[in-house]
Amino acid sequence: MSDDSTGSDDTTGSDDTGSTGNGDTGGDDHTAEIGRIEDAARVRIAAATTLDELRAVESAVVGRRSPLAELRQRLGSLEPDERRTVGRVLNAAMQALAAAANERRAVLEAAERTEQLLAERMDLTEVLPGRPAGHLHLVTQAIQELEDVFVGMGFTVAEGPEVETDWNNFGALNFPPGHPARDMYDTLYVSYGEPGSTLLRTHTSPVQVRVMTGSPPPYYAVMPGRVFRSDTADATHMPVFHQIEGLVVDHDITFADLAGTIDAFTKAYFGGDFASRLRPSYFPFTEPSAELDIRRPDGTWLELGGCGMVHPNVLRNCDLDPDEWQGFAFGFGIDRLAMSRHGVDDLRDLFTNDIRFLTQF
Ligand code: 2NL
């Protein structure tokens, strides 16, 4: 409390008014006193270095038991004129001090926040000792490497939705309704529209249908992506896996262009000591069709996928005239490719996301 100072000043003030009867003189005294108190308070506010300190100072200089508040309580004993004058000065001083405290608080809050941010800062780009840096998943790496090779050969990359129509996934690709070839695909249907009309794409071929119906030929495009089949997971099957398909449609495209493209890809992606071979096969959307294998340097063969000349019905379904345009298509599994490349023997390891597995690649 400030009884010592205000008490004596108050006494002086009372004496002044009492002795002279002149309210102005007492008002001047009080005004000067308020000025002194305000100046001292400003110094204390400016000297506060923490928010806690500022809170204490604020309570001491403008709080209910502050010298100015106590002075206000004694206003009642002054002459009405003097009371008005001193009251105005007093209120102005209180307001000015409250404003000064608010300004100081803003400065201290900003400083404390900066300090906190600096203290809690984490450099997420830093590789901590003993911890691995993050990297792309094995399958993503394979997709990007495949895209690089095909882009280098003049292909573009096309993408499409994972939820497809029955027409884009089967109908346009020369699978008539009820055709037994549909049974080769354990299709997952989506409850949307007519039953059986909407599905999770079983291959990336619907993207090729979208390419062929989206703009006029020629097309030189590859379509990587996620595909779905109702399969129980084991070492060689997953209900979700990845494919890349390629499509070429132009004038005068022959089976020799297909074989040459596959062999050029094999050597560019795997290396000059790998070779490719085509074996007769069947797909509804190609005629003739072939299985596609690659020979590793140790002489062993890896079944990669399939390919063939685009079936005339598929071209017609996409409003292309088979007498004017010919093409070939191919498709293979990306997961199997990544597994063979890195010596992974269980497909499930690619999708379990066990950090001990993933950090090896
Ligand atoms: C495989 C075999 C293949 C195609 C995919 C295709 C697409 C259209 C027209 C003609 Cl729109 N063909 N794609 C052709 C032959 C084989 O994939 O084993 N994939 C994993």
Side-chain angles (χ1 to χ4, degrees), residues 172-173 185 203-209 212 229 241 243-247 283 285-286 289-291 304-311 314 318 328-333 336:
L173 293 161
Y185 304 87
H203 44 195
T204 47
S205 308
V207 186
Q208 315 199 22
V209 173
M212 286 190 278
R229 299 205 188 150
F241 57 105
Q243 277 191 343
I244 186 165
E245 283 189 70
L247 174 73
F283 299 106
F285 34 77
T286 45
S289 303
E291 296 292 321
L304 208 58
C307 59
M309 301 306 289
V310 179
H311 196 290
V314 174
C318 297
F328 63 79
F330 55 86
F332 49 84
R336 220 190 304 170

Side-chain angles (χ1 to χ4, degrees), residues 55-229:
R55 249 188 304 280
V57 168
E58 207 178 356
S59 149
V61 302
V62 293
R64 278 196 299 122
R65 285 142 76 87
S66 63
L68 290 180
E70 289 185 348
L71 189 55
R72 174 182 280 153
Q73 271 167 17
R74 291 195 310 273
L75 282 180
S77 63
L78 299 180
E79 297 294 320
D81 272 358
E82 190 186 359
R83 195 191 311 155
R84 245 192 312 280
T85 312
V86 176
R88 250 197 302 275
V89 174
L90 186 67
N91 282 339
M94 294 278 254
Q95 277 168 20
L97 288 177
N102 283 341
E103 256 174 60
R104 184 69 188 148
R105 185 168 18 255
V107 170
L108 292 177
E109 274 172 357
E112 285 195 7
R113 176 116 184 94
T114 304
E115 199 180 323
Q116 186 185 11
L117 285 176
L118 284 174
E120 293 177 0
R121 185 166 66 171
M122 266 194 286
D123 183 356
L124 297 177
T125 64
E126 190 179 313
V127 179
L128 298 174
R131 296 213 194 171
H135 63 76
L136 295 177
H137 188 274
L138 206 49
V139 173
T140 309
Q141 290 179 36
I143 290 175
Q144 293 189 349
E145 288 161 10
L146 290 165
E147 287 178 358
D148 282 350
V149 169
F150 280 114
V151 166
M153 292 168 66
F155 286 72
T156 57
V157 179
E159 289 182 342
E162 293 170 358
V163 179
E164 267 292 5
T165 59
D166 175 78
W167 172 255
N168 282 346
N169 194 82
F170 288 127
L173 293 161
N174 204 32
F175 292 79
H179 190 282
R182 287 186 179 220
D183 302 342
M184 293 164 31
Y185 304 87
D186 300 296
T187 309
L188 290 160
Y189 288 90
V190 174
S191 304
Y192 181 82
E194 288 288 300
S197 66
T198 312
L199 45 78
L200 297 183
R201 66 184 185 191
T202 60
H203 44 195
T204 47
S205 308
V207 186
Q208 315 199 22
V209 173
R210 287 171 180 273
V211 165
M212 286 190 278
T213 52
S215 63
Y219 316 114
Y220 292 80
V222 289
M223 301 75 176
R226 189 183 285 148
V227 299
F228 307 83
R229 299 205 188 150

